[in-house]
Amino acid sequence: MIKILRLDSTWIIAEVEEIPAVEIGDPDCVLKSPYEIINGELKRYPPHSKDEEIIVRSSDVFVITEPDDDILKLYNDR
């Protein structure tokens, strides 16, 4: 499922997949093909990395929401 997430001061759009059965405090979400949303444009995230997937703790996510149609189209067209 494609979601928008707020990590620190960064808005990210990515396919989000939960990692089942992890210890409390361990990373438990995989962000596939993550992009940072900057002024309505998408930039690779994290910058300077070749990784197509990053693993984060759900406790580090401040907001998770559905993308609007415009951002979702940009993401799907990339």
Side-chain angles (χ1 to χ4, degrees), residues 23-74:
E23 296 292 321
I24 294 176
D26 285 347
D28 56 357
C29 292
V30 177
L31 305 183
K32 296 180 178 183
S33 300
Y35 283 82
E36 183 176 4
I37 303 169
I38 302 173
N39 297 323
E41 295 184 17
L42 302 182
K43 305 287 183 186
R44 295 273 312 136
Y45 185 84
H48 316 295
S49 174
K50 293 182 193 178
D51 290 344
E52 292 288 325
E53 295 182 357
I54 58 174
I55 300 172
V56 298
R57 293 182 305 223
S58 58
S59 62
D60 293 333
V61 176
F62 294 104
V63 175
I64 187 166
T65 187
E66 298 290 328
D68 67 26
D69 292 339
D70 294 333
I71 291 296
L72 184 58
K73 181 174 179 359
L74 279 176

Side-chain angles (χ1 to χ4, degrees), residues 3-21:
K3 297 288 185 181
I4 292 180
L5 305 103
R6 180 76 169 187
L7 299 173
D8 291 322
S9 61
T10 306
W11 288 101
I12 305 295
I13 185 168
E15 181 180 345
V16 179
E17 183 179 303
E18 184 178 350
I19 301 172

